[in-house]
Amino acid sequence: DQTTTTAPTSSEQVPSQEEIVQKQEQEPQEEQIQKLVQSNVTLSEQDEQRIKNILSIAEECIQEEELRLLISKKPQPVCYDGFEPSGRIHIAQGIMKAINVNKLTANGCKFIFLVADWFALMNNKMGGDLKKIQTVGKYMIEVWKSAGMDLTNVEFVWSSEIINERPNEYWLLVLDIARKNNLSRILRCSQIMGRTASEDLSAAQIFYPCMQCADIFFLKADICQLGTDQRKVNMLAREYCDQIKRKFKPIILSHHMLLGLSGEKMSKSDPMLAIFMDDDANMVNSKVKKAFCPPGQIENNPVLEYLRYIIFPKNEEFLVERSEKDGGNKLYKNYQEVEDDFKSLALHPGDVKPALAKALNSILQPVRDHFKNNAEARKLQEQVHKYKVTK
């Protein structure tokens, strides 16, 4: 169960992380270290539940004791994620992200989305056409609006705009991060762009990790809520805190990376490997029917992953419809029940797949309706569909 914490009103003064740091620096350093390492923080029952709910979205948290201290000190922590507008949006970016954001904001957090248009340009997305990139960014925001994301405590900011508002502050921060790290350390972060260190990277792509690291501090983010594929640059931000002797580090709350329908890494370059937010019902049915799903296999099974990370968090139940001779209908109330039946072969892929397709189509229907009925959203979608996705 989620515990909803009322966000501070506009008349309340929410301290910035810098103010918190200044206040905490007045205490003996030994006491601060003890609090961080031993989690010597007294929290209310409500805050303990908040932490439990926040952690439920994470495959990894660095560090939980720091999260406890943050919750005890700051009424409305700031979470951040950045996304490159790079084409159609798949269900992990759409529904999974909406689920995670809603859980965080329902538990007292503010969420900032960085629409990373300049980053997509640096990474040569949409052929390096900034106008196309920004069109895709607007399209993605429309998807989230229609996907059930509660936008009450969500803010979308464009990297091109925020950098140009305070360029001196931003670029000095980027240069300081670059100056304090050697090239090999930065190249190890190339995974965040969907690249490898062995690729022939442009100079812009080499600079990319320094800028993404700077964004965390520039946006005053308390929590980095990105996928596990962004871990290396988030750790770079924590290392930078050590270099500048900053006590409060950004907390890393990494979510799971959903498998592609082939059982391997998801990729936008092959549209058959993922369910996209604007796929029609027939396309969803076809993709799920062809999805990798060996009987009894739990590991690397994308069909079960969709149930675990999308269907149950969204619907809290899952109905399998079968004939009486095949065991009859069964309503599952949690994912573990499905996994147990599937592992024991009491539940067959032939029964799970159509039920999953039906559940996915139900979740995606409001998105389809939005782009059908909203002229501006429909125009954005039509434009994006014409664009060629570039790696």
Side-chain angles (χ1 to χ4, degrees), residues 60 62 80-84 114 119 122 170 174 177-178 181 184-194 205-217 223-241 243 249-254:
E60 179 184 45
I62 302 175
Y80 135 88
D81 188 4
F83 65 93
E84 281 188 0
L114 181 67
F119 287 81
M122 294 163 66
Y170 184 82
V174 172
I177 292 167
N181 289 277
S184 62
R185 177 65 184 92
I186 298 302
L187 287 174
R188 291 204 303 274
C189 292
S190 55
Q191 177 189 3
I192 67 174
M193 301 177 285
Q205 288 170 324
I206 293 172
F207 216 50
Y208 186 119
C210 300
M211 291 175 63
Q212 184 170 328
C213 180
D215 290 338
I216 297 167
F217 303 102
I223 299 172
C224 300
Q225 206 294 281
L226 296 87
T228 52
D229 61 332
Q230 303 296 302
R231 186 183 191 277
K232 289 182 179 180
V233 75
N234 291 333
M235 290 301 296
L236 182 70
R238 289 178 61 86
E239 292 167 12
Y240 180 66
C241 289
Q243 292 166 336
K249 302 177 181 180
I251 295 157
I252 304 174
L253 205 66
S254 302

Side-chain angles (χ1 to χ4, degrees), residues 94-95 97-103 105 141-152 154 277 314 363-364 366-367 370:
I95 299 300
K97 195 73 221 181
I99 291 168
N100 291 347
V101 168
N102 286 350
K103 184 164 284 191
T105 56
I141 292 172
E142 287 297 320
V143 171
W144 280 313
K145 286 180 180 178
S146 61
M149 184 182 289
D150 182 354
L151 300 180
T152 306
V154 173
M277 295 296 293
K314 182 71 173 176
I363 289 171
L364 293 175
V367 180
H370 176 70

